[in-house]
Amino acid sequence: MKLITFDYRRDLAVEYAHRWAYGRNPEYFNFQGIGGDCTNYASQCLYAGAGVMNYTPVYGWYYITANARTASWTGVGYFYNFLVNNQDVGPYARETDLSAMEPGDFCQLALDRDEFHHTPVIVSVGETPTLDNILIAAHSRDADYRPLSTYRFRAVRFLHIEGVRIRVPEEA
């Protein structure tokens, strides 16, 4: 088996983000009352654009049920670690600055604490990206088309999705 890379479908991720920004997809558990739903929602958007999960126990990125999932599906730091370190099946990303942002990418915010604890989905970006024209969708603090500049945050980091990998048989 070998890994091949294909493009992340940003259009599908953004379409999903708009569809569920103010609602909850019944196929997924709503984590709002037990720590927040932002990264669960971000993962759903990412999956809509990637179409592939990584079923590696503990360190992968997948959701089967609320009790059969990886920490990276719902945890801000785990989501980040999976994306920037993934060398196997599934989506992968690099941390970058706001100039590289595109719709379907993600940012993570440290709002009222020093650690990152909120994961909005970027749904629109101006020709020259700025905090004012990067618009996000999010859960926990439900939003759609919200300018990133309207958040009061201590720190922000940006995740640019570079692609998606799948495993295919070696050719004979």
Side-chain angles (χ1 to χ4, degrees):
M1 300 292 273
K2 68 177 181 176
L3 287 174
I4 63 166
T5 301
F6 63 93
D7 290 340
Y8 171 58
R9 292 287 311 270
R10 296 174 179 284
D11 58 327
L12 296 178
V14 170
E15 180 181 303
Y16 187 97
H18 293 312
R19 166 71 179 92
W20 294 105
Y22 294 107
R24 302 297 186 265
N25 184 336
E27 294 181 22
Y28 298 93
F29 184 80
N30 179 2
F31 292 89
Q32 183 65 36
I34 54 173
D37 199 53
C38 67
T39 306
N40 176 42
Y41 170 69
S43 284
Q44 292 172 41
C45 295
L46 180 59
Y47 180 60
V52 178
M53 293 184 194
N54 179 316
Y55 290 97
T56 304
V58 182
Y59 300 107
W61 173 77
Y62 66 86
Y63 178 98
I64 300 168
T65 68
N67 295 318
R69 62 180 165 82
T70 51
S72 59
W73 189 271
T74 54
V76 175
Y78 297 105
F79 180 82
Y80 172 87
N81 288 336
F82 171 78
L83 285 172
V84 300
N85 294 308
N86 183 27
Q87 298 293 313
D88 202 4
V89 171
Y92 60 97
R94 68 182 160 87
E95 183 177 351
T96 186
D97 62 32
L98 67 97
S99 68
M101 291 297 90
E102 296 179 51
D105 283 335
F106 301 88
C107 60
Q108 294 190 316
L109 305 173
L111 297 169
D112 55 356
R113 300 183 295 234
D114 288 332
E115 74 270 3
F116 292 96
H117 59 277
H118 190 50
T119 308
V121 181
I122 296 170
V123 295
S124 181
V125 177
E127 187 174 328
T128 302
T130 68
L131 293 178
D132 289 324
N133 67 26
I134 292 176
L135 307 180
I136 61 88
H139 274 190
S140 296
R141 297 176 173 105
D142 290 6
D144 196 11
Y145 293 108
R146 179 176 176 177
L148 189 54
S149 63
T150 64
Y151 282 91
R152 295 179 63 174
F153 53 83
R154 291 179 183 215
V156 59
R157 63 185 175 197
F158 297 97
L159 292 168
H160 176 69
I161 305 300
E162 295 194 301
V164 181
R165 294 185 193 96
I166 59 171
R167 195 169 297 285
V168 298
E170 294 280 346
E171 297 171 347

